[in-house]
């Protein structure tokens, strides 16, 4: 619940972590899932390339593969390599279905699936986060929608909004 004051706000380069409504830490972070799941469609290709290179992905390495029964492209790693930073794109719909990168805590492998139509595109309604091959977090979204406007106070990293209507 928002009233508990626990939150994480990601501003594109830093996670701002709050406990009891107070900022407790800031962590610089390149978020592969957000960049490949959303930002890639609206930002300059050079910015996306820089973000992917910051994750350690070799953009010069490309191969074909299959992911969950669908033809895919894999960027960044050779066949059978499950730990080198890489991302997978479903060929037919050009949707990112998997991102692998290294973190101080181990290899993070995020599988995106159950794509649902949203606006003129799709959204991954299911995400499975694995650390060193073991599932650690699963996100299942039962409902989602586009909104015309969100209160900028929700993303103000200097303060955390802990009451009032959410979109």
């Amino acid at each position: 619940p928002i009233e508990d004051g626990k939150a994480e706000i990601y501003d594109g380069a830093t996670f701002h972590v709050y406990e009891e409504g107070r900022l407790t830490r800031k962590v610089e972070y390149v978020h592969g899932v957000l960049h490949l799941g959303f930002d890639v469609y609206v930002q300059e290709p050079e910015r996306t390339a820089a973000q992917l290179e910051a994750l350690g992905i070799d953009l010069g390495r490309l191969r074909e593969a299959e992911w969950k029964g669908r033809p895919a492209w894999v960027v960044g790693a050779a066949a059978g390599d499950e730990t080198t930073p890489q991302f997978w794109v479903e060929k037919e719909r050009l949707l990112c279905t998997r991102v692998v990168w290294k973190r101080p805590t181990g290899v993070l492998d995020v599988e995106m699936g159950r794509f649902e139509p949203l606006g003129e595109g799709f959204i991954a309604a299911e995400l499975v986060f694995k650390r060193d091959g073991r599932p650690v977090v699963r996100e299942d979204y039962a409902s989602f929608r586009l909104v015309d406007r969100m209160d900028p106070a929700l993303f103000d990293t200097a303060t955390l909004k802990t009451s009032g209507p959410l979109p």
Side-chain angles (χ1 to χ4, degrees):
I2 195 165
E3 297 81 17
D4 290 352
K6 294 175 91 172
E8 292 181 355
I9 297 174
Y10 182 65
D11 69 2
T14 307
F15 263 116
H16 303 262
V17 181
Y18 299 83
E19 298 286 336
E20 298 178 1
R22 292 188 319 268
L23 180 64
T24 57
R25 66 189 158 135
K26 291 164 66 169
V27 181
E28 288 188 31
Y29 191 73
V30 177
H31 199 304
V33 173
L34 292 181
H35 296 313
L36 285 166
F38 298 96
D39 296 344
V40 69
Y41 301 106
V42 296
Q43 69 185 13
E44 295 295 317
E46 296 81 13
R47 183 168 181 195
T48 299
Q51 291 165 332
L52 297 175
E53 288 170 354
L55 289 174
I57 295 174
D58 178 355
L59 299 178
R61 181 175 281 209
L62 175 70
R63 67 181 173 88
E64 294 185 43
E66 189 173 289
W67 181 252
K68 303 205 177 190
R70 293 180 176 260
W73 283 294
V74 180
V75 178
D81 184 343
E82 299 290 320
T83 61
T84 295
Q86 59 194 278
F87 66 94
W88 294 56
V89 175
E90 180 189 299
K91 283 184 175 183
E92 182 183 335
R93 297 180 292 179
L94 298 178
L95 299 171
C96 183
T97 56
R98 184 179 185 202
V99 185
V100 177
W101 72 97
K102 294 183 179 174
R103 304 267 329 260
T105 56
V107 175
L108 188 62
D109 183 343
V110 183
E111 298 178 8
M112 295 170 272
R114 209 176 87 238
F115 289 93
E116 301 286 345
L118 182 65
E120 296 179 24
F122 293 89
I123 189 168
E126 174 186 83
L127 292 95
V128 177
F129 293 76
K130 297 177 184 176
R131 183 174 295 120
D132 295 328
R134 292 181 301 280
V136 291
V137 174
R138 180 185 182 96
E139 296 178 3
D140 281 300
Y141 296 95
S143 67
F144 37 83
R145 62 185 170 90
L146 294 175
V147 294
D148 293 327
R149 184 185 171 303
M150 292 183 76
D151 181 352
L154 290 170
F155 303 99
D156 182 347
T157 58
T159 63
L160 177 66
K161 182 177 179 179
T162 59
S163 65
L166 293 175

